[in-house]
Structures are given as C-alpha cells and as structure tokens.
C-alpha cells in the first residue's frame, strides 16, 4: 500500500503539498495549477527527439474586426446528428466553425497576449511548458467576441439541449514545443458546478496535426463509469496510468485525430479526454471556453482541483446559484 503522507510533488505548496486529499482550496495561481497538473501525466511512452517543423500559417489579408464580429454572430447549422453524437459520445468535432481568417486573427491575438503576460517570445522561449491565461475576455475586445460569441453560445445550448447558457470561464492554453501529455481527466472533477449541463468549446488557433497534441476523447460518454472508482492522486502519474490501463483493457475507443483549420471540438463535463505531447516546433494555441446551463449552482465542497474558481464566479459561495457578473448569459442574446 502507498503511504500518501510521504508523497511529494515539487510543484505543490502549503497545505496542498502535505495533505493527501484534494478537499482544500488551491493555494497558488492559475499558471501554477497547470504547471502542477501536467506533472500528473505519464510520458513514459512518448517519443523523444527532434521536434518536427511545421509550415507557418499562410500570409493572407485578414478580415476586419467587423467581419469577424459578424462571423461570430452568424448561427452555425447544428444538425440533429451533431446533437445525438455529442450526447452519446460526450464530444463532437464541428468543422468550419471559424474561417481561415478568423483562426489566423485569433492566433495572432492569443500569442500577443501570451507574450505580454510571460514577457518573452513564444518562438522557443517557453519550450516544454503548458501556458494558461484566463479571463482575457474582460480586457481584450477581440477575444471577448470569440468568448461571448452567439455562434458558439447557441451551439453549446443546442448540444446540451438547454434554453440558456452562461460563461464559466475562458482559458488561453498554449502547449509549447516539447511539452508532454495532458493527463486523462473529465472536467466534472475540475469545474465546481452542480450540474451535468456543462460544455467546453476547445477552439484551436491553428490546425492541429496528430504530433502537435490534439484533444482526444474516450467514447462513449458513459466510459466515465468504468473509471469512477479510481482514486485521484495529486502527487504522481498513477491516476493517469490507471485510466490508460482500464481503457486499454476494456477496449475503449479513443478519437485522437487531427483538427483541420476552423474545426472546434465541444466536450461534456463527463467526457474523458487527454492530449498527446506537442512534438512540433510551433505552439499549440487554443482558446478553451466553458459554458453551463443558466441556473446551476456551485457545488457544496469545491476542491483544489477547481483551481482559482472564485475568480471565475466571484462573490458566490458554495451551494449558491452561479450567476455573477463574470458569468454572462451567452445564449440566447440578451437585449
Ligand atoms: O488543451 C489541453 O491539452 C487540455 C484542455 C482540456 O482538458 C480542456 O479544455 O478541458
């Protein structure tokens, strides 16, 4: 038997580092949360070596901001099949959610924000790191258009089959060249929301070939039942390894294909997902925004796995309705 009280994870501090369970608040910031979280991924089977070169994004005349706003307000043709497959599999990858111009514009803006925040060029300057920057929608007008997009909000409400969705938070995620896997998890563990009506729109800001670490999903949605008794371990890679073993043993299908330009995935809070390492010379930049059904409450006991959740739902206590000013209704449009 392992004695967790003597386990160590060098990225944890304070009570997070000594108490063996997760029933305590996260004590550091959002970036420190990700620095910790990626240490829980098992990278023993990853290929190491030279990073492979990708072509830069094409040089095109970018659409105006007004054209992007228009695009992000135009409804997407969501079909019955998309909804059925999301509700059965726990995720759906939708093509042509964004045009090439909107993707390139997004990438430029997200890289600018990351470089300002980390005070370095992403061009190799942050190798091996998993960078995260949240709440960019508050100060950046163009990012706000993508995060509060009625096109995206309507897709989310449609997939969840609910009348109205609110924003939980946005998160710019950059898996830098050489960064390893994202551990297997489901977001129900992460978001302190007492509902099963939660969806994340994972919006790549470039195409993502397999070697760059596309988000990958176990299916169907119900596979979370196979692993519900595996105890989360906040110190090492054992949780991730156990999930891999169970999924292999039970022949669980995993969708781990590439993302074309403009393709966006939507995953449910109980969808088990992971992402491979970024073995390319370019940052894998994504805007991941999470939406939940209007009226949902905060769970009674958020854990350290929920990171800085109080920043995303300020002034709302456990058990209360999550409807702070940081959680605007994204669909339907309000007057
Ligand atoms: O971008 C990644 O590698 C992980 C993101 C993720 O797990 C999520 O958005 O739910």
């Amino acid at each position: 038997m392992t004695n967790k009280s003597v386990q160590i994870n060098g990225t944890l501090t304070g009570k997070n580092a000594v108490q063996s369970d997760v029933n305590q608040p996260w004590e550091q910031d959002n970036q420190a949360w990700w620095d910790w979280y990626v240490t829980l991924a098992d990278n023993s089977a990853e290929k190491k070596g030279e990073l492979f070169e990708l072509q830069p994004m094409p040089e095109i005349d970018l659409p105006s901001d007004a054209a992007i706003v228009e695009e992000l307000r135009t409804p997407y043709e969501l079909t019955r099949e998309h909804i059925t497959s999301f509700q059965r599999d726990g995720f759906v990858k939708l093509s042509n959610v964004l045009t090439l111009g909107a993707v390139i514009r997004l990438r430029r803006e997200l890289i600018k924000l990351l470089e300002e925040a980390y005070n370095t060029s992403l061009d190799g300057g942050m190798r091996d790191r998993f960078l995260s920057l949240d709440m960019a929608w508050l100060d950046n007008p163009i990012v706000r258009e993508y995060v509060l997009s009625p096109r995206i909000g309507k897709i989310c409400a449609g997939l969840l089959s609910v009348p109205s969705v609110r924003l939980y938070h946005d998160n710019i995620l950059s898996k830098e060249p050489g960064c390893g896997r994202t551990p297997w998890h489901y977001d129900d563990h992460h978001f302190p929301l007492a509902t099963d009506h939660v969806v994340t729109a994972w919006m790549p800001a470039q195409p993502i070939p397999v070697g760059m670490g596309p988000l990958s999903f176990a299916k169907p949605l119900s596979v979370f039942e196979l692993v519900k008794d595996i105890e989360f371990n906040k110190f090492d890679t054992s949780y991730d390894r156990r999930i891999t073993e169970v999924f292999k043993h039970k022949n669980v299908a995993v969708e781990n294909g590439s993302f074309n330009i403009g393709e966006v995935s939507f995953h449910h809070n109980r969808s088990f997902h992971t992402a491979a390492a970024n073995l390319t010379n370019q940052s894998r930049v994504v805007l991941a925004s999470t939406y939940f059904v209007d009226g949902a409450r905060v769970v009674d006991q958020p854990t350290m796995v929920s990171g800085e959740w109080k920043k995303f739902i300020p002034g709302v206590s456990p058990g209360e309705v999550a409807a702070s000013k940081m959680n605007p209704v994204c669909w339907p449009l309000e007057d």
Side-chain angles (χ1 to χ4, degrees), residues 34 37 130 171 173-175 181-183 185 187 190-191 200-202 213-215 267 273-276 284 286 288-290:
W34 280 97
Y37 198 60
F130 192 111
N171 209 344
L173 303 174
S174 187
K175 188 174 263 201
R181 291 182 50 249
T182 305
H185 65 281
D187 297 339
H190 296 198
F191 308 140
T200 296
W202 197 80
L215 204 60
H267 62 268
H273 53 283
T274 178
R284 190 218 64 182
V286 171
S289 306
T290 298

Side-chain angles (χ1 to χ4, degrees), residues 135-155:
M135 309 297 266
W137 71 274
L138 286 177
D139 297 322
N140 183 296
I142 192 73
V143 172
R144 175 160 46 242
E145 294 296 336
Y146 287 81
V147 173
L148 305 188
S149 154
R151 182 172 174 86
I152 299 297
K154 187 171 185 207
I155 293 173

